[in-house]
Amino acid sequence: MRVAVLVAGLVVLAACLPQRVAMQPAVTMAPASAPKATAPPTSLMKAVPPSLGFRNACEGMATRGPIRAVDAVGLVAALRGGDYEKDEFETTQAFWRRIGPKIDGVLAKAGGEADGTLVVTFPLDEALATYEADKGILTIGNIASRLLRLGRIVVDRDHGPSTYVSVSSNERRVGRYVGGNAFGATTNVVKVERDVVGVAVPSYGRYFWPNEFTPIQARLAPHEARAAKTALAVMMVGRLRAPFILTWRDRDLPEFDNPVDRTTDIEVLNFAPDCAAVLDRSSGKILADIPLADWQ
């Protein structure tokens, strides 16, 4: 006996959500520049030594004497526009032989170590530290904002976004125009250009670093805590890797509640940390290490 089987199709209707309408300039404008992808294949990245560990790298750097942090903004400026890209007919060995002396000179001027090691420091907001005088404990960071705020750029769509910490941001007004939407409403729009310099900080987190975090507690005398609270920083020790600068252009279109047309050019120092720690710059002491597993 033949049995007819009826298979019913399931149709899912998606509810349409209201969308905010971004204003478009009333005058014809050139589209925003496409992102400048500069990330290389893995084979072009300079080999970075295996993690040196907290005591060998970060703590070892602190025991040498006063910590000399690299001028990240100056280093990006020195590397900008240099002939530091590998030609397709150039072997990796020939590439590093050609640019090695140039990079060594640039790093030395920016405050790098003789062996190519860089020390980068990120000052912490004073509000992230609280002191309990009765217990003699300085607590650093919190679950909500952790230690550092992250930015994200996409320079290699095959490997996802890169995260960074901003170290410099400059914004300037460059003009005005009348913008409007599809419904005929218009408003005056301010056109702004913004330049950001950052340092790459690997993280699985989206907004804050480190991704997994428990507030740090350091036992300090009241006079030590008072001095440390305004001088705390995250210190990282590591090396540059090619390409040395990652670049990205972003654009925020104006809206009626925020009539600003902002173009942001971001330059990120491509830094590969070996270790991270919380540093008291007033005493030069490391208060706590931050395990690599928290952010790699």
Side-chain angles (χ1 to χ4, degrees):
M1 179 177 176
R2 181 178 301 174
V3 180
V5 180
L6 178 62
V7 180
L10 178 63
V11 178
V12 178
L13 297 177
C16 295
L17 296 175
Q19 302 292 323
R20 299 180 73 178
V21 179
M23 294 184 297
Q24 300 299 325
V27 296
T28 302
M29 297 186 65
S33 301
K36 299 174 283 185
T38 58
T42 306
S43 61
L44 301 190
M45 300 177 73
K46 186 175 183 179
V48 177
S51 172
L52 299 177
F54 166 60
R55 297 195 177 278
N56 288 336
C58 288
E59 190 174 79
M61 190 67 68
T63 58
R64 297 183 189 179
I67 292 175
R68 184 176 67 164
V70 70
D71 175 11
V73 176
L75 182 53
V76 168
L79 292 171
R80 187 186 298 126
D83 184 19
Y84 300 125
E85 292 193 12
K86 181 179 177 295
D87 184 85
E88 64 175 313
F89 302 106
E90 186 177 33
T91 66
T92 301
Q93 183 178 8
F95 168 67
W96 287 110
R97 187 167 56 245
R98 173 174 63 83
I99 70 167
K102 297 180 183 178
I103 293 298
D104 290 343
V106 170
L107 294 183
K109 290 181 180 179
E113 300 296 315
D115 62 355
T117 300
L118 301 181
V119 178
V120 179
T121 57
F122 305 101
L124 295 181
D125 190 335
E126 182 180 344
L128 289 174
T130 56
Y131 186 65
E132 296 181 68
D134 291 336
K135 297 180 179 179
I137 297 294
L138 180 68
T139 301
I140 306 165
N142 55 61
I143 298 299
S145 53
R146 297 172 176 82
L147 292 175
L148 301 173
R149 179 179 292 275
L150 293 173
R152 286 159 63 91
I153 57 176
V154 182
V155 294
D156 187 344
R157 300 188 185 279
D158 293 332
H159 296 88
S162 297
T163 50
Y164 69 93
V165 174
S166 174
V167 296
S168 174
S169 178
N170 296 295
E171 189 170 281
R172 58 194 177 276
R173 293 187 178 186
V174 296
R176 292 176 175 271
Y177 63 83
V178 176
N181 62 15
F183 303 102
T186 61
T187 190
N188 291 319
V189 176
V190 177
K191 191 167 179 59
V192 171
E193 291 180 352
R194 182 171 174 242
D195 298 318
V196 173
V197 174
V199 177
V201 174
S203 175
Y204 292 116
R206 182 175 180 86
Y207 300 111
F208 300 102
W209 180 94
N211 189 37
E212 300 292 335
F213 180 69
T214 300
I216 295 166
Q217 293 189 326
R219 187 172 295 279
L220 298 173
H223 70 280
E224 294 174 320
R226 186 187 300 274
K229 186 171 180 178
T230 59
L232 293 173
V234 169
M235 178 182 80
M236 295 185 184
V237 178
R239 299 173 183 272
L240 284 184
R241 59 182 179 182
F244 306 116
I245 301 177
L246 307 177
T247 60
W248 181 256
R249 171 167 288 183
D250 197 13
R251 186 180 179 192
D252 297 318
L253 294 176
E255 298 176 349
F256 277 99
D257 57 354
N258 184 30
V260 178
D261 184 346
R262 179 179 288 102
T263 299
T264 303
D265 285 308
I266 304 170
E267 294 178 297
V268 175
L269 194 65
N270 198 5
F271 178 69
D274 289 323
C275 70
V278 173
L279 171 70
D280 173 10
R281 291 175 295 169
S282 68
S283 66
K285 296 179 180 178
I286 290 179
L287 301 183
D289 68 314
I290 303 175
L292 298 180
D294 283 351
W295 47 273
Q296 274 194 333

